[in-house]
Amino acid sequence: MINVVCIDDERLAVENLKYHLKKFPEINVVGGFTDVQPFYECLQLNDIHLVFMDIEMPGINGLELAAQVLEKYPHIEIVFATAYNQYAVQAFELNAIDYILKPLSPKRIEQTIEKVKSKINIIPKEKKIFIRTFGGFDIFIDDELIPFKFAKAKEVLAYLITKMGKSVGWMTIADDVWPDLYDDKKLMNNFHVASFSLRNFLNENGIGDIYDYSRNLYRIDPTKFECDLFKLHDVYAEYKNTRKILVHPQVFRTGEFLEDLPFVWAYPMAEKVEDMIAELEEADK
């Protein structure tokens, strides 16, 4: 069962949402609230999986409330149900699972519940994830090539791979990925669209946990997957520390770093990769 609570400053809206949610056998509506204090108490006393939340409420903004909830209960999923569409970008930056506009229709709520079920009720399965950066850029899940849907989502992921797990601000990423765009508003919009597309792509393939983001900082988690670039760095670091070469350097001669991809920001890393491989080859003679 998926335990759900909802909060909205209008009691009629709360009761309407509860009425629709109770039609789903997999949903357990724990409570509906118009005030923050009893809402917080409910979260403390129950194992809540999902919160439906309004945004414009007196006393506290729903975006602020969601941030507070996620800081204390990071496993909870958030669905924003609001009459205003201008907060969508901020909502998805908080990793909201959905954003639906009032008046809520039964069909739209059903779509949301299906999305929630696919994420919350999924049985975790260990996936073998390999990301190839030499000779192109591809993701393999259980040895199956997974094609990207959007070029810029692919580029943002490739960019974060080169950061080796380091957190990077969205503006830094946007400036490098869209080097010819000087309008900050358009940069922000382009980045958020690409980031949202990337999250959806990864979640659809059950590997969303490799992408971390919090407070406008973005990173990939290197512990969640294998990557030829990371392997090269590990082998090179071991060589520099011990003068031992654990893997034959020829293993990394499968193509140039991000080969045939027009990523100007990748050139310094491509040079570094070539230098590391060449140094290992020279030492292995």
Side-chain angles (χ1 to χ4, degrees):
M1 294 288 286
I2 300 175
N3 294 330
V4 180
V5 296
C6 49
I7 179 168
D8 193 303
D9 62 305
E10 297 180 2
R11 172 53 62 181
L12 184 59
V14 170
E15 295 303 322
N16 180 57
L17 182 55
K18 287 170 60 179
Y19 169 79
H20 287 295
L21 291 176
K22 287 179 179 178
K23 296 178 181 179
F24 299 91
E26 55 276 289
I27 296 296
N28 175 36
V29 181
V30 177
F33 306 93
T34 56
D35 296 315
V36 172
Q37 189 58 39
F39 167 75
Y40 276 136
E41 293 173 357
C42 180
L43 296 187
Q44 293 170 358
L45 297 174
N46 299 275
D47 182 21
I48 301 302
H49 306 118
L50 175 66
V51 173
F52 280 81
M53 185 179 297
D54 193 11
I55 291 183
E56 291 203 352
M57 297 183 289
I60 187 169
N61 181 278
L63 296 169
E64 298 172 358
L65 180 59
Q68 294 174 13
V69 169
L70 293 173
E71 186 171 359
K72 191 169 184 179
Y73 307 100
H75 67 281
I76 289 180
E77 299 291 345
I78 303 290
V79 172
F80 286 101
T82 176
Y84 307 91
N85 61 12
Q86 66 264 37
Y87 300 109
V89 170
Q90 297 97 311
F92 286 118
E93 274 305 294
L94 287 170
N95 199 23
I97 196 171
D98 208 352
Y99 187 99
I100 54 180
L101 293 175
K102 297 176 182 177
L104 307 181
S105 69
K107 182 65 176 177
R108 185 63 181 86
I109 294 175
E110 182 181 359
Q111 292 173 356
T112 298
I113 295 304
E114 287 302 314
K115 185 181 295 187
V116 169
K117 285 164 53 180
S118 69
K119 187 170 185 181
I120 293 181
N121 268 359
I122 190 169
I123 299 175
K125 178 185 176 183
E126 191 70 25
K127 293 178 181 288
K128 177 186 174 183
I129 309 168
F130 175 71
I131 297 182
R132 177 174 71 101
T133 65
F134 301 158
F137 185 73
D138 294 294
I139 293 182
F140 297 86
I141 300 178
D142 295 331
D143 298 320
E144 179 183 352
L145 175 64
I146 308 299
F148 282 89
K149 294 181 179 180
F150 302 102
K152 283 301 180 182
K154 176 178 182 177
E155 185 173 355
V156 168
L157 179 60
Y159 182 92
L160 292 174
I161 292 288
T162 66
K163 300 303 178 182
M164 310 288 291
K166 177 183 176 182
S167 294
V168 188
W170 76 263
M171 180 64 82
T172 299
I173 302 171
D175 283 341
D176 286 339
V177 173
W178 290 272
D180 299 324
L181 188 59
Y182 303 103
D183 185 314
D184 286 350
K185 188 174 181 179
K186 290 182 179 179
L187 273 174
M188 181 177 68
N189 183 70
N190 284 1
F191 172 76
H192 288 314
V193 169
S195 178
F196 178 60
S197 298
L198 176 58
R199 290 200 301 271
N200 277 351
F201 167 74
L202 296 175
N203 286 331
E204 286 171 3
N205 288 285
I207 58 172
D209 59 347
I210 75 171
Y211 185 39
D212 289 341
Y213 42 95
S214 176
R215 302 181 185 278
N216 286 323
L217 292 174
Y218 300 79
R219 66 184 289 272
I220 51 87
D221 186 344
T223 67
K224 302 292 187 181
F225 60 94
E226 296 181 2
C227 177
D228 48 8
L229 176 64
F230 299 166
K231 183 66 174 178
L232 172 61
H233 271 263
D234 290 344
V235 170
Y236 184 76
E238 180 68 21
Y239 163 69
K240 298 299 283 187
N241 288 331
T242 66
R243 295 297 161 178
K244 294 180 181 179
I245 300 177
L246 302 181
V247 176
H248 196 285
Q250 199 62 33
V251 168
F252 303 109
R253 288 296 188 190
T254 55
E256 296 180 1
F257 180 69
L258 301 184
E259 187 173 315
D260 296 329
L261 293 171
F263 304 157
V264 175
W265 50 262
Y267 294 165
M269 179 59 77
E271 293 179 2
K272 183 178 180 181
V273 164
E274 177 57 34
D275 290 343
M276 285 191 290
I277 296 176
E279 185 175 345
L280 290 172
E281 288 175 333
E282 183 64 26
D284 194 51
K285 288 181 178 178

